[in-house]
Amino acid sequence: MAALTITRDNFQKEVIESDKPVLLDFWASWCGPCRMVSPIVDEIAEERKDIKVGKINVDDQQELANAFMVMSIPTLVVMKDGKPTVKQSGARPKESILRMLDV
């Protein structure tokens, strides 16, 4: 399944009410490290049917970025049962992102 674009309008339904863990990628188009992480996140979205993957553009969704206290991007957050369980900032390899899902 392709990564979803998450906005404040669909956040409740797609993230909080999700019956699957959700990997959120906070990013911006001008961010070089975000462009490195984005294809990895897309790949995970296609490979892992047991999770949901969402992307949040921090320029368009400042309210969500503030709610998660995103200070640098990319920031990845894993949500389980509507609550954040893991949050990490900075570009990281696929194996590291997959490990976040196992916490």
Side-chain angles (χ1 to χ4, degrees), residues 9-95:
D9 295 333
N10 68 358
F11 182 80
Q12 180 73 30
K13 179 180 180 289
E14 296 293 351
V15 178
I16 300 298
E17 297 173 8
S18 176
D19 58 347
K20 298 178 179 180
V22 182
L23 173 64
L24 296 174
D25 175 18
F26 289 86
W27 68 282
S29 60
W30 47 263
C31 166
C34 297
R35 288 194 296 271
M36 291 170 33
V37 169
S38 184
I40 297 170
V41 171
D42 290 338
E43 195 174 294
I44 291 170
E46 291 298 325
E47 291 174 356
R48 295 281 302 260
K49 305 304 179 202
D50 60 321
I51 65 166
K52 192 181 280 190
V53 177
K55 293 187 172 192
I56 301 174
N57 183 319
V58 297
D59 290 332
D60 297 339
Q61 302 298 320
Q62 292 179 6
E63 189 177 311
L64 288 176
N66 289 338
F68 281 87
M69 293 181 267
V70 173
M71 301 296 167
S72 64
I73 51 175
T75 292
L76 299 171
V77 176
V78 176
M79 301 282 293
K80 292 183 180 173
D81 299 319
K83 296 176 178 56
T85 58
V86 182
K87 176 181 168 184
Q88 295 184 346
S89 296
R92 55 196 62 254
K94 183 177 179 180
E95 296 75 27

